[in-house]
Amino acid sequence: MPSSVKQHEISAANCKARTYPMEFTRNIGIAAHIDAGKTTTTERILYYTGVVHKIGEVHDGNAVTDWMEQERERGITITSAAISCSWTNATGPYADIKHQINIIDTPGHVDFTAEVERSLRVLDGAVAVFCAVAGVQPQSETVWRQADKYRVPRIALVNKMDRVGADFLGAVNDMREKLGANAHPLYLPIGAEENFKGLVDLVTMQAYYYDESDPLGVKYDIKEIPDDLKDQARKYREALIEAISDYDDVIAEKYLDGAEFTEDELKTAIRKATISLDFVGVIPGSAFKNKGVQRVLDAVVNYLPSPVDMPPVEGTDSEDETVSIRPEDSGKTALLAFKLASDPYVGKLVFVRVYSGTLKKGDEVYNPRTRRKERVSRLMLMKSNAREDVDVVYAGDICAVIGIKDVSTGDTLASQGLDIRLEPPSFPQPVISMSIEPKTKADQEKMSNGLQRLAEEDPTFVVSSNEETGQTIIAGMGELHLEIIRDRLFREFKVEADAGKPQIAYRETITGKADAEGKFIRQSGGRGQYGHCVIRVEPNESGKGPEILNKIVGGVIPKEFIKPTMEGITEASHNGVVAGYPVIDYKVEIYDGSFHEVDSSEMAFKMAGIFAFREAMKKAGPILLEPIMKVEVTTPEEYQGDIMGDLNRRRGRIQEMGSKGNVCIINAQVPLETMFGYATDVRSLSKGRASYSMEPSHFEQVPASLLANIVETSSRAPART
């Protein structure tokens, strides 16, 4: 067995009853900007690994992982799909060893960023896909930051090398400059655009030439590097070795001595640097033209981590102390529920990552959030929208569970006696809302049930009720997000509904400090109510959210009344004093108060907290905030002036301008309120030749000239999210 495999002698516990040892399992995601080629790459992986026998195409609506009707109609990925395959690498440390690769194909559209977030939370590695023409695009940056947050090792595929304007080395430099990645080519392309013929392997110093007579890309020849690429190959191999010598003593010593490296030594060093997040290997390819995908699979096996390679997973116990667990089949069971889905045939599917232990059909698991035990009735390995029933799953596996009723995204499910709560994925707040009404009375109950189930599945989709108007308000990440929700209501739940005009999810905050006291005193003969607290509020750091601190000393408020006071403050922050929108980025200190031996109660102190916060906020310079979007427009140069003028009219601020080839790239920050219908407008301005992408950036104060109108509108039909 190769030396790098010997690092983890395969324990009997990990081999027993497993199809694949944990050391030979890879949990990876395919992530990128919209239209970079993620789903096309996944389809080729499934073909080359023998899962499918005919390549599906996104544009034909028959891609395996795009199984929803809405995905096939629009040609985009909306929900992440899990699927498994196996691959045997021909060379390197893992030569001739069959590996199980569990893949999650994630969406690229910013409206469905929650799917990427929760997938990256449970994956061990990722393949980041970039367009060889456009390089690093806005959503590429978002996905990269999400992977950084969860410390996910990556390799990169520079896709679409067959396209006009493809620039592999330009894309690599883009990764270094825009993402701060220590990115280096593992392969160089042989030719580009219509002359893209193959790859030069910088580790083995061989050339792969694809047989043009085989359109499926299965046949290729391994030859010597062509003469016109030898100098370039030596240069980039030298740069590759220099980059990884910082992270491997064997390579560093041989590099300084001018000695030769074996192929296994080099691959082991690249793997070590990749897993430590210090290095990103880059591969050129064209998924659509079936070139380079097998080399991506080799890199997944050779360089991305198995569950054994990852550090112990940390969580907290009931005392908020840190607890860590290792991926061992013999350990107690610990799972993280990272996704919920409704299935018309089997009901609620709970997607889980098994971090420790084994899970069998019929086992009971404990949910520390609900403090309830639940029984697992079925276990399934997912194959996109198909499924395979199994009796047991092991540490490192990703599967779907049936039978667990009371569960939310991010819940930990564990063996009774294992006191741990794993870190849940975090999700952005909705930025857009609208009212929705069923067309008939008969649809009312069906709509309520449908919205509830969709909200369970999607943490960025929020349903609320406006008490003043009785309207149902839905909120999400963008116009497309809410459009898909309405479409799913119609198709899956047979509900026809009318939607109101989209509303902006404004926020409120404070600009200064203020002290206030809240008193709730009621006397009505017999036992009364008495709650009294004094608080100080001040702005918190932008993006840090709310922070409520207990600064009570001397027991002026008993310990049992502190929590209700905090709950009252939190409840009051859901409706600010400017226009009734949620308050963000504030800090509260509860530092004084009083109580009554008989009349004080939790309810009284909760009311006191509500009164104190409202009073303090009025004094602390409250302001209204609006969501600002990061917008990138790619346009032919002749339309640049018109598009910039239009962005300025929308209160946009141009941040940066650049060019790639004959197209101009405009980066701007624009208020969401002005961006409704922009897709139609930008096509009109450019005769259909410009495209744009948009993602939430931050919140900014609403201009005084618009404030009165927003306050008046929100008082008539507020959209509380």
Side-chain angles (χ1 to χ4, degrees):
M1 188 175 289
S3 58
S4 59
V5 178
K6 288 179 184 173
Q7 294 170 11
H8 330 290
E9 285 297 339
I10 304 168
S11 64
N14 280 345
C15 282
K16 188 178 179 183
R18 276 180 170 271
T19 308
Y20 295 89
M22 200 189 315
E23 291 80 357
F24 303 146
T25 300
R26 302 287 183 270
N27 293 314
I28 66 163
I30 312 288
H33 184 89
I34 189 170
D35 203 32
K38 298 177 299 302
T39 302
T40 304
T41 302
T42 306
E43 287 297 314
R44 271 53 182 181
I45 288 174
L46 298 181
Y47 177 74
Y48 294 129
T49 56
V51 174
V52 298
H53 302 291
K54 181 177 182 295
I55 295 176
E57 300 290 3
V58 174
H59 57 268
D60 291 336
N62 58 8
V64 173
T65 53
D66 281 353
W67 56 270
M68 291 174 65
E69 291 178 50
Q70 293 87 348
E71 292 177 314
R72 294 186 166 180
E73 288 172 358
R74 292 168 172 80
I76 62 171
T77 302
I78 293 170
T79 184
S80 54
I83 197 158
S84 297
C85 59
S86 60
W87 182 251
T88 304
N89 195 0
T91 62
Y94 292 105
D96 301 323
I97 297 174
K98 206 172 202 181
H99 283 69
Q100 163 108 352
I101 304 176
N102 301 317
I103 303 171
I104 296 183
D105 176 32
T106 64
H109 200 288
V110 68
D111 283 20
F112 310 107
T113 188
E115 291 289 324
V116 185
E117 188 83 23
R118 58 182 166 197
S119 299
L120 288 173
R121 168 64 185 86
V122 298
L123 292 171
D124 300 324
V127 178
V129 183
F130 299 89
C131 174
V133 180
V136 175
Q137 297 167 279
Q139 190 64 11
S140 312
E141 296 183 50
T142 303
V143 168
W144 199 266
R145 287 196 303 271
Q146 288 170 310
D148 281 341
K149 180 167 76 173
Y150 295 116
R151 298 190 60 76
V152 178
R154 276 143 278 175
I155 58 173
L157 166 65
V158 174
N159 193 27
K160 303 191 178 183
M161 282 299 300
D162 59 301
R163 288 267 299 272
V164 175
D167 182 358
F168 173 68
L169 296 176
V172 174
N173 287 330
D174 236 14
M175 292 172 64
R176 292 175 184 163
E177 291 171 10
K178 294 183 179 178
L179 305 175
N182 185 20
H184 289 268
L186 297 174
Y187 297 82
L188 292 176
I190 301 174
E193 301 178 355
E194 72 274 11
N195 296 316
F196 178 52
K197 299 174 184 174
L199 312 175
V200 172
D201 187 335
L202 297 179
V203 175
T204 64
M205 292 300 276
Q206 295 174 314
Y208 291 84
Y209 281 89
Y210 284 89
D211 187 340
E212 297 298 330
S213 67
D214 174 22
L216 297 175
V218 176
K219 297 177 184 175
Y220 54 84
D221 295 316
I222 300 177
K223 300 180 180 179
E224 280 194 18
I225 299 171
D227 291 340
D228 60 336
L229 283 178
K230 281 182 177 175
D231 288 344
Q232 189 185 35
R234 279 192 288 268
K235 172 187 169 184
Y236 281 97
R237 177 184 165 89
E238 186 83 6
L240 172 65
I241 292 168
E242 189 176 343
I244 62 171
S245 64
D246 292 337
Y247 311 106
D248 188 281
D249 293 339
V250 173
I251 297 294
E253 190 176 331
K254 286 195 170 187
Y255 178 64
L256 293 172
D257 292 343
E260 287 298 313
F261 309 98
T262 67
E263 180 187 327
D264 281 6
E265 283 174 341
L266 208 47
K267 288 186 174 179
T268 301
I270 294 171
R271 175 180 176 79
K272 191 174 174 182
T274 302
I275 292 173
S276 63
L277 302 175
D278 294 313
F279 176 86
V280 179
V282 190
I283 305 161
S286 168
F288 183 61
K289 295 291 186 181
N290 308 314
K291 294 174 182 174
V293 177
Q294 297 100 322
R295 306 290 72 82
V296 173
L297 284 164
D298 289 346
V300 166
V301 166
N302 284 331
Y303 307 131
L304 290 181
S306 72
V308 175
D309 297 308
M310 301 300 286
V313 179
E314 292 189 343
T316 55
D317 61 17
S318 52
E319 303 295 325
D320 277 339
E321 297 291 330
T322 300
V323 181
S324 64
I325 53 173
R326 295 199 62 82
E328 296 172 340
D329 294 344
S330 56
K332 288 188 175 179
T333 304
L335 327 166
L336 182 70
F338 67 94
K339 177 176 175 173
L340 309 183
S342 295
D343 187 286
Y345 303 106
V346 298
K348 182 187 288 186
L349 289 173
V350 182
F351 287 78
V352 298
R353 163 73 190 263
V354 185
Y355 280 103
S356 174
T358 57
L359 183 68
K360 297 174 185 170
K361 194 165 62 173
D363 280 356
E364 279 192 341
V365 289
Y366 176 73
N367 185 336
R369 180 183 63 83
T370 62
R371 299 182 180 178
R372 289 180 56 189
K373 290 189 290 185
E374 305 236 23
R375 186 174 296 280
V376 174
S377 59
R378 287 174 70 185
L379 289 170
M380 296 188 298
L381 297 180
M382 298 305 293
K383 303 289 175 73
S384 188
N385 64 327
R387 57 192 74 81
E388 175 191 338
D389 276 278
V390 293
D391 293 327
V392 59
V393 289
Y394 302 91
D397 286 346
I398 292 173
C399 68
V401 176
I402 297 174
I404 298 176
K405 302 288 189 292
D406 190 0
V407 65
S408 298
T409 301
D411 278 356
T412 298
L413 303 169
S415 300
Q416 190 77 27
L418 177 58
D419 185 10
I420 189 169
R421 291 170 181 79
L422 299 170
E423 179 194 356
S426 57
F427 300 105
Q429 292 294 313
V431 297
I432 183 173
S433 61
M434 64 171 66
S435 61
I436 186 166
E437 299 292 338
K439 286 189 175 179
T440 67
K441 286 285 184 186
D443 284 335
Q444 179 69 54
E445 187 176 345
K446 284 197 294 182
M447 188 186 83
S448 297
N449 291 336
L451 290 175
Q452 181 183 347
R453 284 171 63 180
L454 292 170
E456 281 181 0
E457 290 181 24
D458 185 350
T460 58
F461 173 60
V462 178
V463 183
S464 61
S465 178
N466 181 348
E467 294 177 6
E468 295 175 25
T469 64
Q471 287 179 310
T472 300
I473 306 296
I474 59 173
M477 298 304 298
E479 288 180 277
L480 179 61
H481 189 191
L482 296 185
E483 181 189 323
I484 296 294
I485 292 289
R486 285 180 59 203
D487 197 44
R488 290 188 64 189
L489 271 179
F490 175 69
R491 296 193 189 196
E492 294 174 31
F493 301 97
K494 312 303 180 200
V495 175
E496 293 200 33
D498 293 317
K501 185 183 174 185
Q503 303 289 321
I504 309 299
Y506 293 100
R507 294 289 182 265
E508 298 184 24
T509 193
I510 53 176
T511 57
K513 293 183 179 181
D515 290 47
E517 69 177 334
K519 281 187 176 181
F520 183 75
I521 302 173
R522 294 285 186 274
Q523 293 296 338
S524 54
R527 183 173 176 177
Q529 295 284 353
Y530 185 94
H532 173 218
C533 67
V534 184
I535 67 171
R536 178 177 298 116
V537 300
E538 60 181 275
N540 210 349
E541 293 175 35
S542 178
K544 198 169 181 183
E547 196 174 350
I548 305 174
L549 306 173
N550 174 19
K551 296 292 183 179
I552 293 295
V553 292
V556 293
I557 298 179
K559 188 176 179 181
E560 63 266 27
F561 296 138
I562 297 296
K563 188 177 178 184
T565 307
M566 291 181 171
E567 289 173 353
I569 291 167
T570 301
E571 188 173 309
S573 72
H574 293 162
N575 298 93
V577 300
V578 180
Y581 289 97
V583 186
I584 61 171
D585 299 337
Y586 63 86
K587 183 188 282 189
V588 176
E589 292 181 355
I590 308 169
Y591 69 89
D592 201 2
S594 61
F595 72 103
H596 189 281
E597 291 283 357
V598 177
D599 292 349
S600 285
S601 67
E602 290 186 1
M603 190 273 282
F605 271 94
K606 183 176 180 179
M607 294 303 298
I610 291 172
F611 295 156
F613 184 81
R614 286 179 180 164
E615 186 62 31
M617 192 176 172
K618 288 176 186 174
K619 300 177 183 176
I623 58 172
L624 188 67
L625 304 172
E626 64 179 342
I628 304 297
M629 309 303 285
K630 179 181 176 183
V631 180
E632 181 178 283
V633 185
T634 303
T635 175
E637 289 182 356
E638 59 260 42
Y639 306 112
Q640 176 185 336
D642 291 340
I643 285 174
M644 288 178 63
D646 181 66
L647 289 172
N648 286 326
R649 283 191 292 275
R650 296 172 188 268
R651 297 194 285 126
R653 296 191 303 271
I654 307 298
Q655 301 290 304
E656 188 182 11
M657 288 178 53
S659 60
K660 272 191 179 174
N662 59 352
V663 298
C664 177
I665 299 169
I666 304 167
N667 283 290
Q669 291 184 344
V670 193
L672 175 62
E673 181 262 336
T674 67
M675 290 298 289
F676 293 123
Y678 186 63
T680 303
D681 294 342
V682 79
R683 289 190 196 111
S684 174
L685 287 168
S686 64
K687 297 182 180 176
R689 294 175 63 193
S691 61
Y692 81 102
S693 62
M694 180 171 73
E695 62 178 288
S697 175
H698 62 284
F699 283 90
E700 279 185 13
Q701 184 173 357
V702 171
S705 57
L706 301 176
L707 183 60
N709 186 45
I710 293 170
V711 172
E712 182 185 350
T713 303
S714 66
S715 66
R716 290 199 306 266
R720 311 285 190 256
T721 59

